[in-house]
Every structure is written in structure tokens, then in C-alpha cells.
Amino acid sequence: MHSKIYQAKHELYLSITFASFAIKDEAIKSRLYEFSLIAFRHMKWIGESVLADGGTYNYDRTLPLYKRESSFEILEALLTQLKEYQKMTTDSILSQRVKTDDEYLLHYLSSLLSDKSNDHEITAFNMQRKWLETNLDQEQIDALTLFLFDESYKEYELILVYAYMQTRTENVLEYNVYEDLIAESQFHLKSFGNMMSIMGILALPRELHEMTYIVDDLENFIKNGIDEEEAAKVMCKELSDSIKDEELSKFFDFINYQESYHIELMKKLLKKN
């Protein structure tokens, strides 16, 4: 039962997150993203509770991302998913906390759906592959598309892998490094998800295989993570150099510098080991 609750909350976290990416209204987008971070905290607490009871959990999921055409279609689907999750409520203190958080989200969604002015066209799935009003050529669009698909998966993967590691460590340094890396990857996923939405190519990252996050050799895991960050830096630099748009180039330089610091954070873990 615990693993089913965890999977359902994981899927809910993804649904709220990607609803925030798809919806254009800035106020609704921002509010939904705040709720997605709350759902992620729920995942953390539920995972800790599962481990404390001697159980385990994984990142299996069956969630599809339907190509909705209006804000109300997205909000109604989210409302239905939340109501289904509410049926899993138990009498535990944690479950009651999660329930009351979700009840407020239900109230928020219902209030949005009661006002037709909140319903807008969704273009996040129309495959237009155009970046705002810029005139990027096809080669640049292709490079940007490939980068966003690759990196959105990488950031989703890192969020879950670091969260998995964080719940299993009692070392304060490790815990804090994972906390920082999770927060950074959440920002990157948000940035890339919103960019994918603008381009009409929004899609869920593929599911993680358990070999990705069940770590037997921490040192090797960290070294592989550093290699992955180095590869991301190369991609960012190449994209920054190839994109003939100053704002986009500056953004990818910014991401590149953040990846550099991620490497330094991970090196702290190597020194500790």
C-alpha cells in the first residue's frame, strides 16, 4: 500500500508540475508550481515514512501526459486525479497533513474552474517548434529541441536520484549537498519545461529504471554525476555559441556556470568519502 501511495503522489507531483508548464496565465502557472513543490515535499515525507516502517519504494509510474487544448481541460484532469488520490488517505498524522494540503489545492482548482475567464488555449503540445518571435533557423531550432529533451530528462532524473539518496543518508554534509542539487535541478527542470511549452513540444521525461537510482557504490555514482555535469556544460556552451539570440545565449551561459558549481558540490562528497 505504501508503494502505491508513493507512486500516486509521484504522479500527482508530475501532473501539477507539467500543468504549471503548459498553462500560460502567469498567476495560475506560478501558483501551480508552488503546489508542485509542496507535492514534492509530500513525496519526501512519504518516502521517509516508508523507510521508517521497514519498507521501500521506487519511481515506477504509469502516468501519461495527455495533449490538452485548453486550461480547463488540464485543471479538470488534475482535479480528478487529486480526488482519486484523496481516497488513499489514512489516519496517520502525515496522511492528514497531505490531505489538508491537497484539499486546499482542490479548492483552488475549483475556484479557477468556476470562472470562465480562466480558460485559455493551450499551445504547449502543438509541435510548432518556434521560439517566441525570433528567427532562429532550422539548425538552431533542432539543436534547441534536442537540448531541451535531453536536459529535461537529465534534470528530472537528478531530482529523483538525489532525493532517493537524501532519504537514505544520515550524514549532514551529504544531506545538504543533495538538498542544494535537488533545488538547482528543480529550477533547471522548470526553466526547460517552460521553454518546451513555448515551443509546443512539452512532454514528460521518460521513466527511470531502478538501476539509475539504486546506488551500491557512492564514489562511482558521484564520479559519474560529475561526468554528466561536465557533459551538460559542453552542451550548454555549444548551444550558447550556436544560437543567434542574445537572450537565449546569455541564459545558457548562466546554466553553464551553475553546472560548474554543481561539480564543486559533488567534489565535496568525494572528499568526504
Side-chain angles (χ1 to χ4, degrees):
M1 182 62 179
H2 280 315
S3 61
K4 288 183 179 179
I5 291 174
Y6 188 89
Q7 179 177 333
K9 179 54 71 169
H10 175 199
E11 293 179 350
L12 196 52
Y13 156 70
L14 279 173
S15 292
I16 302 168
T17 301
F18 278 76
S20 81
F21 297 159
I23 287 175
K24 294 180 181 179
D25 184 286
E26 287 298 332
I28 298 174
K29 174 187 285 290
S30 176
R31 196 76 171 120
L32 284 177
Y33 189 72
E34 289 174 357
F35 280 116
S36 80
L37 295 180
I38 292 173
F40 186 77
R41 284 201 295 279
H42 291 168
M43 284 176 63
K44 177 174 178 286
W45 295 337
I46 293 167
E48 290 171 345
S49 176
V50 170
L51 295 180
D53 289 343
T56 189
Y57 60 88
N58 57 44
Y59 290 129
D60 291 353
R61 62 171 218 244
T62 57
L63 178 76
L65 184 63
Y66 294 108
K67 296 183 177 182
R68 314 288 185 184
E69 295 184 357
S70 74
S71 300
F72 272 21
E73 286 183 28
I74 289 175
L75 298 176
E76 285 164 355
L78 199 51
L79 192 76
T80 299
Q81 190 177 350
L82 264 169
K83 287 180 177 177
E84 284 300 309
Y85 184 80
Q86 291 284 63
K87 296 176 182 177
M88 296 184 169
T89 302
T90 68
D91 293 331
S92 73
I93 294 172
L94 171 57
S95 186
Q96 290 302 309
R97 160 62 198 265
V98 172
K99 179 184 177 183
T100 54
D101 284 352
D102 287 347
E103 282 176 346
Y104 185 68
L105 176 53
L106 281 168
H107 168 75
Y108 175 66
L109 294 175
S110 297
S111 68
L112 292 176
L113 288 165
S114 68
D115 183 350
K116 291 184 179 179
S117 69
N118 291 318
D119 197 14
H120 303 287
E121 181 189 12
I122 295 296
T123 59
F125 310 106
N126 66 8
M127 300 299 291
Q128 64 180 344
R129 296 219 303 143
K130 183 180 178 183
W131 179 252
L132 299 175
E133 299 305 315
T134 60
N135 292 313
L136 300 182
D137 62 30
Q138 194 59 51
E139 187 176 343
Q140 294 173 69
I141 287 292
D142 289 346
L144 182 56
T145 300
L146 181 62
F147 176 88
L148 291 174
F149 273 103
D150 284 349
E151 291 302 294
S152 62
Y153 170 75
K154 190 205 84 170
E155 300 300 347
Y156 168 67
E157 175 191 68
L158 291 178
I159 289 167
L160 296 189
V161 171
Y162 292 141
Y164 196 87
M165 301 289 286
Q166 189 184 46
T167 58
R168 288 161 172 76
T169 184
E170 296 180 359
N171 180 278
V172 174
L173 173 63
E174 279 185 32
Y175 188 94
N176 287 335
V177 168
Y178 293 140
E179 186 76 8
D180 288 337
L181 290 169
I182 289 167
E184 295 275 276
S185 287
Q186 283 175 328
F187 170 73
H188 289 183
L189 178 61
K190 177 185 178 184
S191 300
F192 300 149
N194 282 323
M195 292 174 74
M196 292 174 81
S197 179
I198 289 169
M199 293 183 69
I201 57 172
L202 187 62
L204 280 178
R206 65 185 181 275
E207 188 178 345
L208 269 66
H209 190 281
E210 65 176 19
M211 289 178 65
T212 309
Y213 53 87
I214 297 178
V215 177
D216 296 322
D217 185 339
L218 181 60
E219 182 174 342
N220 190 53
F221 163 76
I222 296 166
K223 287 179 178 177
N224 288 339
I226 290 173
D227 289 342
E228 201 167 337
E229 295 289 357
E230 292 282 10
K233 280 175 56 62
V234 171
M235 285 189 71
C236 276
K237 186 67 171 66
E238 288 177 348
L239 198 57
S240 176
D241 291 343
S242 67
I243 294 288
K244 307 306 178 189
D245 179 88
E246 185 177 0
E247 284 302 314
L248 274 178
S249 292
K250 290 290 185 185
F251 172 73
F252 287 117
D253 285 340
F254 161 67
I255 296 295
N256 184 28
Y257 297 139
Q258 292 193 338
E259 302 285 9
S260 296
Y261 191 66
H262 296 174
I263 292 169
E264 296 307 312
L265 286 172
M266 297 183 81
K267 284 179 179 178
K268 286 184 180 182
L269 298 182
L270 276 182
K271 290 175 183 177
K272 173 256 174 189
N273 284 281

